[in-house]
Amino acid sequence: MDFLEIVKASFLRNALMALLITSSFLSYLGVYVVLKRIVFAGIAISQIASLGYVLGMLLKLNPQICSLGTSLIGAVLFSFHTREKRFSRESMVGLGYALSSSLGILFVAKSATAEAGMLNLLFGNVLMISSGKVCLVAAISLLIFIFYSLFNKEIAFIAFDEETARAQGLNARLFELLFYLLLAVGISAAISIIGALLSFSFLTVPALCGLCAAKRFSGVFKAALLCGIISSLLGLYLSYYCDLPTGPAVVTANIALFAVIFFLKSLR
Amino acid sequence: MKKEDLIKFKDLSVGHTKNNPVMSGLNVSVPAHGFFGIIGPNGCGKTTLLRTILGIIRPLSGRIIYYSDRRNLHFGYVPQKDTIDPLFPLTVTEIVMMGRYKRIGLFRKPKKEDYRIVQDSLSHCGIKRLGDRLYRELSGGQKQRALIARALASQPDVLILDEPTHNMDLPSEQAVLNLLRDFHQKEMMTIILVSHLIGAVVNFVKSILLIEDGRFLSGDTNTVVTEENLTRLYGLKVKIQEFQDQKFIVVGE
Ligand SMILES: Nc1ncnc2c1ncn2[C@@H]1O[C@H](COP(=O)(O)OP(=O)(O)O)[C@@H](O)[C@H]1O
Ligand SMILES: [Mg+2]
């Protein structure tokens, strides 16, 4: 089947749209996640979002909303800087990860449907996406890009040098909180579509590609976006063509792309 | 309050937790258009004091009195270099532009005028040619100049620098201090400089606050920095040698 035909088939069109949209906002957010050295917080939030999703299925509530709820709570907690001297912030993020993954497994232990849902959440099922979901991620993606285009310079300043930004009177706490909240919104929307594994990869690997390929700060975002999109297309094509699961195919394509960029860059 | 004072600390206590001040009972004035040095060992609370002056944290008790309205007083802050993450691929110009952000305001982009001010700040600091270079690829002295240029770009009334010569080789250290002395003398800018080495800055600062073990000594550099005072403050035999109008502080006989 050739690529144009893929675009024509409606379920594939939805998959393609969903992949492209989620990969672009996650790749963009990922640049900050990597630069702020909070990659681990990214994986923890996606785990917490999965927990919320499972909880929603068990309690017969809307899983999407429950997942949003738990991930927002996690985001608020992670956005606080604790002054705890005996252990690092990173280790609290680890605790959040361990807690949410073990609770998730405990919750699904008694329910076969929830267990299937949990597996779905890990790897996603991009080929089963409804048009409604595509609209949802499109809206969320729009929200994220509007926020970042409005506060572009403030976010960069605070991420780079929070002390000086605060000395200039910028409300760094508020921006930090908004940053984490948007990250949580993005991740919780993404995991129900492309799964926790792929969401997390989109948060890290395209940013690495961008940092490797581009020389300038603004270029990093563009390059990351482009790499996210290319690997989505490549992964989806491979998964369809060779009948492989989409999520892992996209992740592998993404990492292969990173390896190529890295290799080409170190030649020079 | 004397008219020539710009900032005055009154029974000031600073710190991060209420019951645990890092510095307390501070009564000192920073003269307007002065070159003020704050000297004390690592961990004595110098950075905490600066953060309090800047309004990042509140005083635990006591007051900071600003001679002009705090809102009208613009501080240019040069943080400790090692608090800045070298991961970000930002150019020197991009970083210096950050100094303009407050004046540019939310939702707005830098204008021509802002770029001109950034260029001026760069050339003031002698790094005009480094504008397009990545900050993380600069030497320690060049990084420090970039951060000073950023503070200047905010067109400050007071320049506040935290350990600007820390971890620097001798020529870079002298170059940065000479640069600051120039700003002070030519532009009449008020400068507050923090250092943990008295010997490095004693010949540059006009007035001084010495911190040691919870005790303070402050005033004009020439009247404060004497052999008796330092010997008493540090509990060490301190000698001061003068050579070509420069003070050299020596410990021991
Ligand atoms: N954000 C913070 N929260 C709590 N304690 C802090 C914080 N920053 C510094 N401290 C503590 O305050 C004391 C003074 O630190 P600091 O002002 O950085 O000293 P200096 O700059 O003189 O080396 C130290 O004991 C330090 O551990
Ligand atoms: Mg300090």
Side-chain angles (χ1 to χ4, degrees):
Chain A
M1 189 169 187
D2 118 324
F3 209 75
L4 272 176
E5 287 172 61
I6 294 188
V7 177
K8 280 184 205 142
S10 90
F11 76 103
L12 277 175
R13 198 167 50 220
N14 281 350
L16 184 65
M17 293 282 281
L19 258 182
L20 290 183
I21 294 169
T22 43
S23 78
S24 47
F25 71 75
L26 288 177
S27 308
Y28 191 94
L29 291 175
V31 175
Y32 277 110
V33 169
V34 169
L35 285 177
K36 284 163 79 96
R37 300 172 195 255
I38 54 165
V39 169
F40 203 28
I43 196 170
I45 290 176
S46 63
Q47 200 60 42
I48 294 171
S50 312
L51 174 69
Y53 205 91
V54 169
L55 210 60
M57 290 197 291
L58 278 180
L59 301 176
K60 308 245 175 336
L61 299 169
N62 184 333
Q64 191 72 60
I65 291 178
C66 289
S67 143
L68 181 65
T70 51
S71 59
L72 287 180
I73 294 170
V76 171
L77 292 178
F78 291 155
S79 80
F80 290 137
H81 288 269
T82 54
R83 298 298 180 199
E84 179 60 63
K85 279 189 182 140
R86 285 164 297 176
F87 38 79
S88 69
R89 190 170 124 113
E90 186 84 28
S91 56
M92 295 316 292
V93 174
L95 191 117
Y97 177 76
L99 180 70
S100 50
S101 20
S102 49
L103 279 184
I105 294 167
L106 288 178
F107 286 155
V108 299
K110 297 276 178 239
S111 154
T113 46
E115 197 171 352
M118 184 85 173
L119 267 184
N120 233 340
L121 272 185
L122 191 56
F123 299 110
N125 199 345
V126 80
L127 298 177
M128 302 278 278
I129 286 158
S130 66
S131 308
K133 275 241 163 114
V134 175
C135 291
L136 178 75
V137 275
I140 285 169
S141 160
L142 197 64
L143 176 76
I144 291 172
F145 282 116
I146 287 175
F147 177 77
Y148 274 83
S149 60
L150 286 180
F151 301 110
N152 190 358
K153 64 185 198 305
E154 285 76 21
I155 296 166
F157 192 4
I158 290 168
F160 173 65
D161 182 0
E162 187 186 330
E163 275 296 283
T164 309
R166 291 178 75 181
Q168 278 205 12
L170 278 178
N171 193 340
R173 288 258 171 80
L174 179 66
F175 275 107
E176 187 78 350
L177 182 65
L178 287 174
F179 170 83
Y180 273 95
L181 289 180
L182 274 184
L183 188 62
V185 171
I187 291 176
S188 70
I191 59 154
S192 68
I193 292 170
I194 56 173
L197 173 73
L198 188 51
S199 304
F200 173 65
S201 311
F202 272 146
L203 224 37
T204 346
V205 189
L208 289 177
C209 295
L211 284 167
C212 200
K215 228 182 151 234
R216 294 283 181 260
F217 190 59
S218 56
V220 173
F221 291 94
K222 290 175 195 144
L225 261 160
L226 196 65
C227 291
I229 288 170
I230 292 174
S231 43
S232 301
L233 292 175
L234 204 63
L236 186 65
Y237 185 74
L238 282 179
S239 101
Y240 191 83
Y241 199 70
C242 309
D243 193 21
L244 292 167
T246 315
V250 173
V251 176
T252 311
N254 208 341
I255 292 172
L257 190 59
F258 172 68
V260 170
I261 295 172
F262 189 84
F263 178 72
L264 288 179
K265 278 281 164 178
S266 36
L267 276 187
R268 293 217 242 132
Chain B
M1 179 167 202
K2 285 186 291 178
K3 195 168 166 26
E4 57 269 24
D5 290 342
L6 185 71
I7 303 170
K8 188 169 174 173
F9 310 138
K10 208 159 169 253
D11 295 322
L12 183 70
S13 290
V14 301
H16 300 89
T17 40
K18 262 254 150 356
N19 312 318
N20 190 13
V22 280
M23 211 187 267
S24 52
L26 191 57
N27 284 292
V28 181
S29 299
V30 180
H33 308 297
F35 194 162
F36 186 74
I38 300 174
I39 320 290
N42 285 326
C44 79
K46 303 179 299 294
T47 301
T48 309
L49 177 62
L50 292 188
R51 299 178 82 213
T52 315
I53 299 173
L54 291 162
I56 298 176
I57 53 176
R58 293 224 189 94
L60 292 183
S61 67
R63 288 205 297 152
I64 300 182
I65 304 164
Y66 300 92
Y67 174 67
S68 88
D69 184 4
R70 164 76 174 86
R71 268 173 236 283
N72 295 332
L73 211 54
H74 281 280
F75 293 107
Y77 183 41
V78 182
Q80 253 164 294
K81 213 170 54 250
D82 47 15
T83 63
I84 285 179
D85 198 327
L87 217 50
F88 285 71
L90 288 162
T91 63
V92 173
T93 301
E94 284 168 332
I95 286 170
V96 175
M97 186 56 86
M98 290 174 175
R100 299 293 310 156
Y101 283 1
K102 187 182 179 189
R103 301 215 183 234
I104 295 170
L106 289 175
F107 311 118
R108 294 211 185 86
K109 284 200 164 127
K111 295 202 174 67
K112 256 205 182 104
E113 172 75 357
D114 298 302
Y115 282 100
R116 192 189 55 75
I117 292 167
V118 165
Q119 281 306 315
D120 286 353
S121 309
L122 289 175
S123 46
H124 246 75
C125 294
I127 48 170
K128 202 178 176 99
R129 297 228 232 110
L130 300 181
D132 288 332
R133 290 269 296 277
L134 288 184
Y135 175 81
R136 63 177 182 207
E137 288 166 1
L138 304 183
S139 73
Q142 291 170 332
K143 278 184 179 150
Q144 196 63 60
R145 282 161 184 268
L147 296 182
I148 294 173
R150 179 177 66 177
L152 286 184
S154 69
Q155 300 174 310
D157 305 303
V158 186
L159 190 60
I160 296 186
L161 306 101
D162 199 351
E163 310 258 13
T165 58
H166 184 56
N167 264 342
M168 245 180 224
D169 54 83
L170 197 63
S172 316
E173 174 186 284
Q174 292 303 303
V176 165
L177 288 169
N178 279 321
L179 185 69
L180 295 176
R181 172 147 62 190
D182 267 8
F183 292 152
H184 171 243
Q185 286 174 351
K186 289 190 191 137
E187 333 256 320
M188 300 276 287
M189 191 181 286
T190 309
I191 298 180
I192 300 178
L193 180 152
V194 157
S195 174
H196 63 268
L197 292 174
I198 183 171
V201 298
V202 68
N203 294 307
F204 290 87
V205 297
K206 292 281 179 288
S207 50
I208 203 164
L209 164 65
L210 295 174
I211 308 164
E212 182 65 31
D213 231 2
R215 287 168 300 148
F216 308 110
L217 202 57
S218 73
D220 231 49
T221 308
N222 285 328
T223 54
V224 169
V225 181
T226 61
E227 290 183 353
E228 305 83 72
N229 278 345
L230 295 190
T231 301
R232 204 151 21 88
L233 186 72
Y234 295 120
L236 287 169
K237 186 92 192 110
V238 176
K239 278 198 159 297
I240 297 177
Q241 311 266 310
E242 299 227 10
F243 178 67
Q244 293 184 342
D245 275 345
Q246 303 260 332
K247 283 186 164 64
F248 294 89
I249 296 170
V250 201
V251 177
E253 297 306 310

